[in-house]
Structure formats: structure tokens, C-alpha cells
Amino acid sequence: MSKYQSVESWKPSDGFISTEVANEVIKEKNNNLAILAGPGAGKTEILAQRANYLLQTGLCKSPQKILALTFKVDAASNIKNRIDLRCGRELASRFESSTFDAFFISLVRRFSTLLPSWIDIPSDFDVYPFDHNWWSDYEQNQLGGRPFVFKNNYSPLDLTARPNDEITRLWKYCAENKIADYKMCRSMAFTIIKNYSQVRYLILSTYKYLFLDEFQDTTDEQFAFIQTVFKGSNTIISAVGDTNQMIMAWAGANPQNFEKLAKDFNSKTVHLMVNHRSNTKIINLINHVIQDLTTSMETPVVYVGTRKGAPPYNCIGAKAFDSPESEAAYISKHINLTLSENPTLAPSDFALILRQRAQDYYKNAIGEFLSNDLSLRNEDALVVSNGVKIQDLMVEPLSIFWMLLIRYKAGLINYSQEKKLDKIASFFTGYNLGQERERKKLKAYIARLMSCINFSEPVENTITKIFDIVGSAKIKLVYPQYRSQYFNKVKESFCILFQDALNNNPKDLKQAINDYEGTNQVKLMTIHKSKGLEFDTVFFVDFHDDSWWGLRRAVQEKNEKSQREEKNTFFVGLSRAEERLYFTKNRGNWPPVLVGLLKDSNLVVQLPDI
Ligand SMILES: Nc1ncnc2c1ncn2[C@@H]1O[C@H](COP(=O)(O)OP(=O)(O)OP(=O)(O)O)[C@@H](O)[C@H]1O
């Protein structure tokens, strides 16, 4: 029997609502696609379903693979997690998801021997961003200091011709210390690709399909890489994004990406006009803001919701306060009221988002939250200095794996979590879950890992024992991002955060797990960090003119580009809400441009006193 399903019998999984356009995207065979879609349209999901379709029907046959490239680590693991859970091991192993930078690094490690002979970097170098302190040390110790190109906006260098002394000295120093920063890796990857057509052909013959998620955030440099490798090839590209959510221009994202894709790759443009996330009132507000974002040359799009049920009464509101404390006191009471009226909601369904300085806001607000029996978690905070941010830790595959084992040991695992644990363990062991005998061996392996867990021992001991059984080589093979020092950062951050949760709840394991995962905590984060997420209720806090100074300045200076970026940021934030969306300020004036938009919509009411 064929291991592949027929194209006719293949169906999308997990309650996916398919529209004609969605179906067209999933099943496109020949054309490069530019998929434009608004918030909540299920952009990542449609790529995940397309990957399932191509792998499960054999349109992407072994040994061909799909490569998904994106800007951010969490977006890369998000799509990979969905494929891993839905496809078997063999199929999932042919879906590779990576950030652009991680892909560049893997190219350099693999082909470092092809680099010009003056570059002597060993393949097991560590990568981290060289920050201000690093450069200060370097400048003090190294003759000639930081190369000029590293001081400015930097395009990748072609390293084939031996560059100047400053550059060669930097590379020599890094080779001796087995380190490199991201910019250096980009240069090395470009040098390999441009000068060795064999490497390009190897990439092209490996990847029949290329997915580009969050395409609006792609930089010129990344686009140049896509052009160099894929232009004129048979690899089929599917790029998905939302130009109204482009908030990375400061990091080099180019608003013309979709046009460039159409020109260079003759891509077919498809619009997904649905929003599966928000209620009709919030979608009306989204459509209203889109009208403002649309230039006179474009036709404004209008999104249609698929969510059932009427929006809650007063679901979009605003209120002014005279201090962050009184604002936080009101919000925590409001959350408690909504929780008491909606028993299916938990504190983690509520988010406070703000333009900047989440930690300052946290310090002012936490007391009020605690006195209303609620906990607030600053998702943007580092677990430990030089460690991983809480929000990033939550999506790290190793943190997910360790928590699943801990849940299993504590008897607090549900069916889908257990399936997920089996899947990850099968990646480490190679056991086939479809075969009874191998499944038994897999269960014995998981039991062995679990026997390492002793809740009265320091968490670090437990994790080290688990790690010894799994083996570092296996972990690095399955998750290439852990080939560097980053593994130790994730491990240390996990141990500290989970140890804290255990210490705070010595007799209540369930509560400790909830504390670690933030299940019973209201989330606090910057708008940039909220991108890609969704919450039942969103409070836009600290929503005053001073915190939107970037927009104020852009208006004063008539800087259209910056105004657009600020408005896009506002758009990203408000489109995170499913059912309730509130704007609050604790001083000064409302930001005039944004509040003008809200007033014009006629959708925002004054929130009542509680
Ligand atoms: N085709 C679909 N049918 C039903 N529900 C869907 C579908 N696609 C996505 N969803 C659900 O809709 C919500 C929004 O999806 P998702 O977060 O993938 O959208 P998105 O396009 O990435 O949004 P954004 O750009 O705003 O982050 C999620 O809860 C998701 O599970």
C-alpha cells in the first residue's frame, strides 16, 4: 500500500475552515505564490496545511524537502511544531524550518572548508551578537579596532578577495576563539553561495518548496539571498504576510518585498479576506484602521469574520486615569469581573500591551494586581541576566519537552500532551510510533527519563540527568539551534524559572507548573512582543501621547515612513483581541492621531466605573 494519500482524498486537519481561496493556496502545484492576508487570517496555519498536503500526498516525495524560512525564532518553531504533530516522523523530517540567520549559520558550518584559505574558522564555532561591551573589549585589545563596516548599516561582504587588515584581524581573532557574530555569518554564507555553484545546486535539489512566513519582515539582504539561490530555479515559493503588520522597518524590512517577488519570481498574488480570530465589532475596527493605512493608489480590503456568537456588550472601550496605580487597580477589578462572568476564561486570556518600557509599568502595576488576587507576568523580562526572555523560553522545544516529562511524572498530562511527548521522544530515539513493538520501547525510554525526576532535588540535577540519557549529539541533531552556547542559556533559564515556581509552591505541583507556564497570570508585554499572539481581552495600557512620542515626532517631521511604522504597530496591537479591546491612559493626553482614528470609527465607548 502506498504511504501517500491521493490528492482527491486528502483533507485539511484540526477543524480548518477551508474557503475556495484557501484550498487554491494549499493545492497550488506550479506557481510561486504571494499570499496577502490580514490579522487572524490563519497565515501560518495555511502554510502548515499546505506542507501537510505536499508531504502526505507525495507531491513532495522523499528525499525532496520543504524549507520554511522566517525572521523570528518563535515563528520558525511555531510552524515546525504543527507539522511535527500532524505528520509521521519520516514526513515531518522533510519539513525544515529555520530563521534566515540559523540557515546561514548551518551553511557556514557545513561548508566552512570552501571559504577562502585566509578564513580559518572551525565548524563548531559559537554564534552570538557582538554587543557594545564585546566591541569595547575588542577595540581595547586589538590593534586597529572595529572594522568600519561593522560600525554602520552593513551589507554582506564578499570575502573572496582578501579584505583589509581590520577585517582579516577580526576573523583571525574569532577563529582562534571559535566565535562569530550574525553579520560575519551572513558574509560567509553569501561568499559560499556566490562562489560555489555546487552549493546552490545542492540547496535547489534538496528543497522543492520554499515557504516564507512573515514575509513583510524580510530584509533586503535576505531577499538578495533568495534571489541568488532561487531565481530561475524550479523551487516553488509560497510567501505569506501582511504589509499592514510591517513593524520591522527599523531592522531593515523592506515594504516593497511583495512587489519584488512578483517581478523577480512572477508570483501569483492571492488575498485571504477572512479573520478567524476577532468578533465582528473588532473586525469592524480593524477594517476602519485599514482604510486609514491604505494609500489613495490602493483599494482598501474588507475582512470578514468567521467567529460565531454576538460580541459582548461594550466590547471596545476607553478610560482615562491619573496614575499607573489607579489604572492597574481598575484593570485588575475589570479582569476579575470578566472572569466571574465567563468561567471558561483564565487570567492568561488577558493581556496588557504597551508601546515601550514594560518593566517600568510592571513595577507600578504589580502591587494593585496582587491586592486584587491576580498575578501579572512581564513576558519581556529576562529570566536571568544574559539568559532567555520568559516569552521566548516558553516556545523553546527543550522547555516544552522538559515540561511534558514533568507533567507526565506528576500525573498532570492530558491526551494531546502525551501524544506530543511521544512524538518528541520518537525524534530522539528514532522509534516508529506506528509499530507496536517500537512504541513499547519508546514508552520504556520515556519511563527511564521520568525516573530521573525527583521534585525534592534541585531542578538542575534532574535536567542534567535527563540530558545525559538523551545525549547531547541527539539533541543537537534534532534541534540545530542548540549546537551553540544557546543550549546552556536555555537550560539555565529553565532551571531558574522552574526552581522558583517549585520553591513558591512547595506542596502544590500543579500550581508550580501553572506558575512556570504562566497559566494563571495576566500577561504584560510590548506590542512588538505581542505580534503573532492572540488573547480574549487586550488592554492597551499607558496609551498616552508621551508613550507614542515616535508617532508624534513623525507627524511633526512629516516623516511618512515612520508614521506608517507607528500606525502599523498600533494595528498589530489592536488586532490581537478576540472579544474585548480597551484603551487606557494614566497621564497626559491621548495620542491625537490614534485617538482620532478610534473616535471616527464610532465603535469605542466610555468604560463605566467599577
Ligand atoms: N482556516 C481556519 N479555520 C479555523 N480557524 C482558523 C483557521 N486558520 C486559523 N484559525 C484560527 O484563527 C486564529 C488566528 O490564526 P493565526 O494566528 O494563524 O492567524 P495569523 O494570520 O497568523 O494572524 P496574525 O497575523 O494576526 O498573527 C487562531 O486561533 C487559529 O487557530
Side-chain angles (χ1 to χ4, degrees):
M1 205 180 77
S2 164
K3 63 178 175 179
Y4 297 118
Q5 295 174 28
S6 72
V7 166
E8 296 73 30
S9 67
W10 184 90
K11 295 259 176 318
S13 42
D14 294 340
F16 183 83
I17 301 171
S18 203
T19 58
E20 207 175 303
V21 186
N23 206 33
E24 201 183 300
V25 167
I26 292 170
K27 299 194 171 169
E28 175 60 55
K29 274 207 298 215
N30 305 314
N31 290 300
N32 292 323
L33 289 177
I35 307 150
L36 285 157
K43 291 185 281 299
T44 307
E45 181 59 21
I46 208 163
L47 286 185
Q49 296 283 351
R50 177 159 165 74
N52 279 357
Y53 171 77
L54 297 170
L55 293 166
Q56 290 173 336
T57 60
L59 286 168
C60 181
K61 257 199 183 69
S62 177
Q64 292 167 332
K65 292 182 176 180
I66 301 172
L67 173 65
L69 291 178
T70 186
F71 197 84
K72 279 169 57 192
V73 177
D74 50 354
S77 56
N78 185 339
I79 186 163
K80 176 72 178 146
N81 286 341
R82 295 184 206 194
I83 315 292
D84 283 355
L85 286 178
R86 289 173 188 160
C87 289
R89 182 169 185 264
E90 193 277 324
L91 295 186
S93 71
R94 289 192 287 110
F95 182 85
E96 287 180 13
S97 183
S98 164
T99 59
F100 278 96
D101 274 331
F103 191 74
F104 294 152
I105 294 163
S106 72
L107 278 181
V108 178
R109 287 194 205 286
R110 213 167 142 201
F111 300 107
S112 59
T113 52
L114 294 181
L115 285 163
S117 55
W118 66 269
I119 298 179
D120 198 16
I121 197 135
S123 61
D124 58 345
F125 61 94
D126 263 327
V127 188
Y128 51 87
F130 292 171
D131 60 12
H132 180 73
N133 293 337
W134 191 92
W135 282 116
S136 302
D137 284 351
Y138 181 81
E139 278 166 2
Q140 270 177 18
N141 299 326
Q142 296 296 312
L143 207 67
R146 181 188 334 200
F148 181 72
V149 289
F150 279 80
K151 289 181 189 155
N152 293 300
N153 255 346
Y154 163 94
S155 354
L157 304 165
D158 188 340
L159 303 166
T160 325
R162 197 185 176 98
N164 66 29
D165 283 353
E166 280 184 338
I167 301 257
T168 45
R169 198 176 302 117
L170 172 68
W171 251 270
K172 187 164 178 284
Y173 176 85
C174 289
E176 279 164 13
N177 290 285
K178 289 176 110 183
I179 50 170
D181 95 333
Y182 293 97
K183 288 179 177 176
M184 295 172 68
C185 291
R186 284 174 218 154
S187 288
M188 290 190 275
F190 268 76
T191 303
I192 292 169
I193 290 290
K194 280 200 172 147
N195 294 294
Y196 291 91
S197 53
Q198 310 91 300
V199 175
R200 177 174 177 252
Y201 292 127
L202 192 70
I203 297 176
L204 293 179
S205 57
T206 307
Y207 303 111
K208 184 172 179 192
Y209 297 91
L210 172 67
F211 289 4
L212 301 166
D213 199 3
E214 305 267 15
F215 185 61
Q216 74 282 348
D217 291 334
T218 306
T219 63
D220 283 342
E221 204 174 90
Q222 291 160 349
F223 195 84
F225 169 78
I226 296 165
Q227 275 175 321
T228 312
V229 178
F230 295 100
K231 196 169 169 183
S233 75
N234 291 328
T235 299
I236 298 172
I237 300 182
S238 313
V240 31
D242 179 3
T243 46
N244 293 329
Q245 293 191 58
M246 206 195 90
I247 56 173
M248 305 297 282
W250 57 271
N254 185 337
Q256 257 82 54
N257 281 335
F258 277 105
E259 286 151 42
K260 281 163 68 182
L261 194 74
K263 187 163 158 270
D264 290 359
F265 292 88
N266 200 17
S267 60
K268 183 171 145 192
T269 302
V270 182
H271 290 268
L272 295 175
M273 306 296 283
V274 284
N275 178 319
H276 297 289
R277 172 181 300 141
S278 308
N279 69 36
T280 45
K281 267 202 184 154
I282 296 174
I283 294 178
N284 286 345
L285 182 62
I286 288 172
N287 285 333
H288 176 77
V289 176
I290 286 176
Q291 292 220 352
D292 181 76
L293 295 175
T294 310
T295 63
S296 53
M297 313 285 284
E298 303 160 326
T299 325
V301 285
V302 178
Y303 292 104
V304 180
T306 59
R307 211 180 160 93
K308 299 211 169 68
Y313 178 67
N314 282 355
C315 69
I316 310 180
K319 198 167 175 66
F321 300 90
D322 53 18
S323 69
E325 288 78 11
S326 55
E327 181 186 34
Y330 180 89
I331 291 172
S332 43
K333 283 185 196 132
H334 199 288
I335 292 174
N336 277 333
L337 199 64
T338 313
L339 282 170
S340 67
E341 288 166 358
N342 300 274
T344 54
L345 294 181
S348 58
D349 293 315
F350 297 77
L352 273 54
I353 61 174
L354 77 180
R355 183 70 188 81
Q356 62 208 349
R357 297 205 198 96
Q359 190 58 23
D360 291 350
Y361 190 85
Y362 176 83
K363 281 189 206 139
N364 291 325
I366 184 66
E368 298 298 334
F369 270 74
L370 290 176
S371 57
N372 282 292
D373 288 332
L374 280 174
S375 175
L376 183 67
R377 165 146 121 170
N378 177 10
E379 294 282 299
D380 220 10
L382 288 169
V383 176
V384 53
S385 71
N386 234 337
V388 180
K389 288 188 172 178
I390 294 182
Q391 189 174 359
D392 297 335
L393 183 61
M394 294 301 117
V395 294
E396 278 300 331
L398 277 184
S399 152
I400 294 172
F401 173 60
W402 288 328
M403 283 314 288
L404 287 169
L405 279 174
I406 284 167
R407 279 185 170 278
Y408 203 0
K409 175 82 177 187
L412 294 167
I413 196 159
N414 64 29
Y415 178 70
S416 73
Q417 289 165 335
E418 194 175 334
K419 270 179 65 180
K420 201 165 172 180
L421 176 59
D422 289 352
K423 266 266 154 65
I424 301 174
S426 78
F427 290 149
F428 289 143
T429 55
Y431 291 135
N432 181 347
L433 283 167
Q435 290 186 7
E436 182 60 24
R437 268 190 39 206
E438 298 208 9
R439 210 168 42 239
K440 276 192 184 151
K441 284 187 189 167
L442 186 96
K443 287 290 178 195
Y445 172 81
I446 293 177
R448 224 176 113 214
L449 295 177
M450 270 198 331
S451 68
C452 303
I453 302 175
N454 176 352
F455 292 112
S456 47
E457 258 190 9
V459 174
E460 199 185 341
N461 291 3
T462 297
I463 295 304
T464 305
K465 284 186 209 159
I466 292 175
F467 178 53
D468 285 346
I469 294 178
V470 178
S472 81
K474 282 277 164 52
I475 291 182
K476 289 172 185 174
L477 190 70
V478 176
Y479 300 114
Q481 66 266 45
Y482 299 132
R483 284 183 194 158
S484 66
Q485 279 303 318
Y486 188 61
F487 171 81
N488 289 333
K489 276 192 181 187
V490 171
K491 184 180 167 197
E492 187 191 5
S493 301
F494 174 84
C495 292
I496 290 177
L497 198 64
F498 192 63
Q499 188 71 64
D500 273 359
L502 277 179
N503 295 349
N504 293 338
N505 304 280
K507 296 208 173 94
D508 190 345
L509 212 46
K510 190 172 175 189
Q511 190 52 40
I513 292 173
N514 283 342
D515 268 13
Y516 176 81
E517 292 175 344
T519 319
N520 284 330
Q521 291 167 306
V522 175
K523 311 269 192 259
L524 170 72
M525 64 188 76
T526 58
I527 302 175
H528 275 83
K529 274 284 166 188
S530 76
K531 193 151 180 279
L533 303 180
E534 56 190 8
F535 302 93
D536 176 274
T537 301
V538 169
F539 287 90
F540 247 97
V541 296
D542 208 32
F543 190 63
H544 53 81
D545 195 27
D546 285 347
S547 66
W548 287 84
W549 60 268
L551 177 57
R552 186 173 59 204
R553 196 172 66 186
V555 172
Q556 280 161 1
E557 291 172 356
K558 297 197 172 57
N559 181 338
E560 295 287 334
K561 201 173 149 208
S562 299
Q563 280 185 53
R564 176 62 194 242
E565 173 109 350
E566 289 291 323
K567 283 185 184 173
N568 282 0
T569 307
F570 174 62
F571 181 73
V572 166
L574 69 88
S575 57
R576 304 303 96 204
E578 294 167 3
E579 288 286 29
R580 283 159 267 260
L581 172 64
Y582 303 121
F583 300 87
T584 58
K585 72 174 170 103
N586 49 48
R587 67 186 163 99
N589 299 319
W590 295 104
V593 175
L594 303 181
V595 97
L597 266 174
L598 295 176
K599 274 190 183 152
D600 286 349
S601 74
N602 283 327
L603 289 161
V604 188
V605 299
Q606 166 78 16
L607 282 174
D609 291 336
I610 300 181

